[in-house]
Amino acid sequence: MPTISTGSVPKLRRGVRLTYDKTRETHVLLFPEGVLVPNPTAASVLELCDGAATVATITAALRARYAGVKDIEILDVLTRLAERQVVEWT
């Protein structure tokens, strides 16, 4: 896996889709191998992974919504999502 930084640009891998499940009343991440139910933090990050925004841009957007957002926390979430092979880097 490549080393990521605040200048890295994440996007959902091909075949991966974040959607809201009305029955479960939560976001779900659909991918060919299954379904992942991300926690609210991960869902907020995934919503911003459009293949154009950098990690720094995503962090700034989340700081506008929530208090106390740190770069390292966003990098950690994205690293774990990349390890699950649902996020890749452009």
Side-chain angles (χ1 to χ4, degrees):
M1 186 172 77
T3 302
I4 62 169
S5 69
T6 56
S8 300
V9 179
K11 70 175 186 175
L12 297 180
R13 293 180 68 93
R14 184 175 179 193
V16 176
R17 184 170 52 102
L18 180 67
T19 188
Y20 189 79
D21 184 327
K22 292 178 184 176
T23 303
R24 296 179 184 163
E25 296 182 350
T26 190
H27 283 92
V28 292
L29 195 61
L30 307 173
F31 53 101
E33 296 83 21
V35 176
L36 176 67
V37 181
N39 65 33
T41 301
S44 294
V45 172
L46 286 163
E47 289 176 322
L48 300 170
C49 292
D50 60 4
T54 64
V55 174
T57 305
I58 291 169
T59 303
L62 293 172
R63 277 190 189 124
R65 285 194 247 173
Y66 309 107
V69 175
K70 298 176 184 163
D71 290 340
I72 191 70
E73 294 170 337
I74 303 306
L75 287 168
D76 183 51
V77 168
L78 288 168
T79 298
R80 286 184 278 133
L81 290 167
E83 288 169 354
R84 299 283 311 255
Q85 298 183 354
V86 295
V87 170
E88 63 185 9
W89 308 95
T90 59

